[in-house]
């Protein structure tokens, strides 16, 4: 059975977490040099890895943010699955261009990925809109949940602690 | 532009790690009960999350294992990317049926996923072949690298520590 569909314009990967910590570093050989940003640390919530493909544009962002913040993939203490907004949970966003790779022989190629400048713009817009939505949500605001995020194009050191990786992919 | 292709029969997600630890638990409400298996712990290497779709069969496994162990996604100390076999690195395999989910409204559905019994068989075959390939590889055998894996259908507690999540998806 063949599937005919337009290629995706963005790919998101979601993982629940109990805690997660990300820090971007300047890298020199195998050594972590000075950090680019303060440590991005969250407690219970969601880690979203994000990648944009060629053809992605600003119009896509509100739909992505709406879907990702409302999809019921966050487990409550009683074992029910609700949205991140309803949990309410923290959010760690990680730019992850490698998610756009396609296998060619023994290597991955990234020809479908968006140009770096445009990707940075979309990523920044995505982060801003997530922050806005969480701030506007009463439950989230009352619980004091936070949005943290990695920087585009830097080496990022990640620590992830989860009660079940529960990994989902959503394409747009 | 429309893309016409057969739907995938398996999906693998790869992440480099400096260290990773997985343990399957029986779960009772929010509590971790007794562990199902000993802790599955690896040092530097690769974490592979794996999901099978309907239509996947045994013939697929050798191709998958060959591709995943040979794709150049493992970073050496000098910053070059080589295969897991060439690193040589350890392997942690995590069954991850949620990777087959598709968004429907605000929920994920898993209608394309393989039946549980068949999935367990394929998963077990996949793990066995990975173990065999690493054991047969001189570099890996000399370095004493290990294959660890999660159990199918159990809640799994994961800790991941990475110098860059460097997440790739490969479909078969």
């Amino acid at each position: 059975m063949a599937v005919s569909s337009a290629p995706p314009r963005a790919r998101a990967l979601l993982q629940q977490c109990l805690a997660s910590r990300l820090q971007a570093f300047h890298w020199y050989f195998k050594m972590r040099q000075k950090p680019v940003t303060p440590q991005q640390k969250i407690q219970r919530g969601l880690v979203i890895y994000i990648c944009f493909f060629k053809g992605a544009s600003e119009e896509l962002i509100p739909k992505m943010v709406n879907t990702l913040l409302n999809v019921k993939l966050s487990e409550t203490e009683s074992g029910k699955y609700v949205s991140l907004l309803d949990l309410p949970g923290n959010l760690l966003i990680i730019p992850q261009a490698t998610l756009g790779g396609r296998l060619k022989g023994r290597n991955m190629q990234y020809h479908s990925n968006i140009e770096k400048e445009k990707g940075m713009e979309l990523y920044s817009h995505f982060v801003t809109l997530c922050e806005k939505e969480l701030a506007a949500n009463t439950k989230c605001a009352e619980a004091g949940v936070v949005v943290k995020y990695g920087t585009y194009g830097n080496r990022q050191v990640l620590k992830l602690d989860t009660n079940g990786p529960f990994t989902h992919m959503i394409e747009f």
Side-chain angles (χ1 to χ4, degrees), chain A:
Chain A
M1 188 182 65
V3 175
S4 179
S5 59
R9 291 174 295 162
R11 180 173 287 160
L13 199 76
L14 297 90
Q15 284 182 319
Q16 291 198 94
C17 73
L18 295 175
S20 191
R21 206 165 85 195
L22 184 78
Q23 190 154 27
F25 282 88
H26 285 301
W27 216 254
Y28 183 69
F29 285 96
K30 222 191 110 196
M31 306 287 291
R32 297 175 189 180
Q33 297 291 328
K34 64 174 182 351
V36 177
T37 54
Q39 201 174 74
Q40 302 289 305
K41 196 171 174 177
I42 65 166
Q43 297 300 317
R44 190 189 184 79
L46 207 56
V47 177
I48 299 183
Y49 304 85
I50 198 108
C51 170
F52 293 102
F53 294 103
K54 285 193 176 95
S57 60
E58 299 285 331
E59 306 93 78
L60 192 61
I61 307 294
K63 192 197 164 197
M64 287 178 71
V65 171
N66 182 49
T67 298
L68 296 171
L69 298 186
N70 284 294
V71 62
K72 296 177 180 175
L73 292 178
S74 295
E75 191 177 9
T76 65
E77 308 227 336
S78 59
K80 202 183 147 197
Y81 284 93
V82 300
S83 71
L84 186 73
L85 293 175
D86 280 339
L87 190 59
N90 301 286
L91 178 58
L92 176 63
I93 307 167
I94 305 181
Q96 190 79 158
T98 53
L99 264 184
R102 293 178 75 123
L103 187 68
K104 167 94 180 190
R106 294 177 60 195
N107 297 290
M108 296 301 282
Q109 292 186 334
Y110 306 92
H111 300 322
S112 307
N113 280 36
I114 203 163
E115 307 72 38
K116 190 170 175 185
E117 292 292 302
K118 185 68 189 160
M120 285 177 81
E121 267 176 51
L122 294 178
Y123 178 70
S124 161
H125 189 164
F126 178 85
V127 168
T128 307
L129 193 53
C130 285
E131 288 176 327
K132 215 166 133 184
E133 292 296 321
L134 262 75
N137 181 284
T138 315
K139 262 192 190 175
C140 289
E142 278 172 7
V145 300
V146 294
V147 178
K148 300 280 178 170
Y149 53 94
T151 57
Y152 209 89
N154 279 106
R155 170 76 73 126
Q156 300 170 100
V157 174
L158 174 73
K159 278 179 196 284
L160 177 71
D161 184 0
T162 160
N163 253 354
F166 202 64
T167 316
H168 286 87
M169 187 183 79
I170 301 179
E171 290 182 333
F172 298 91

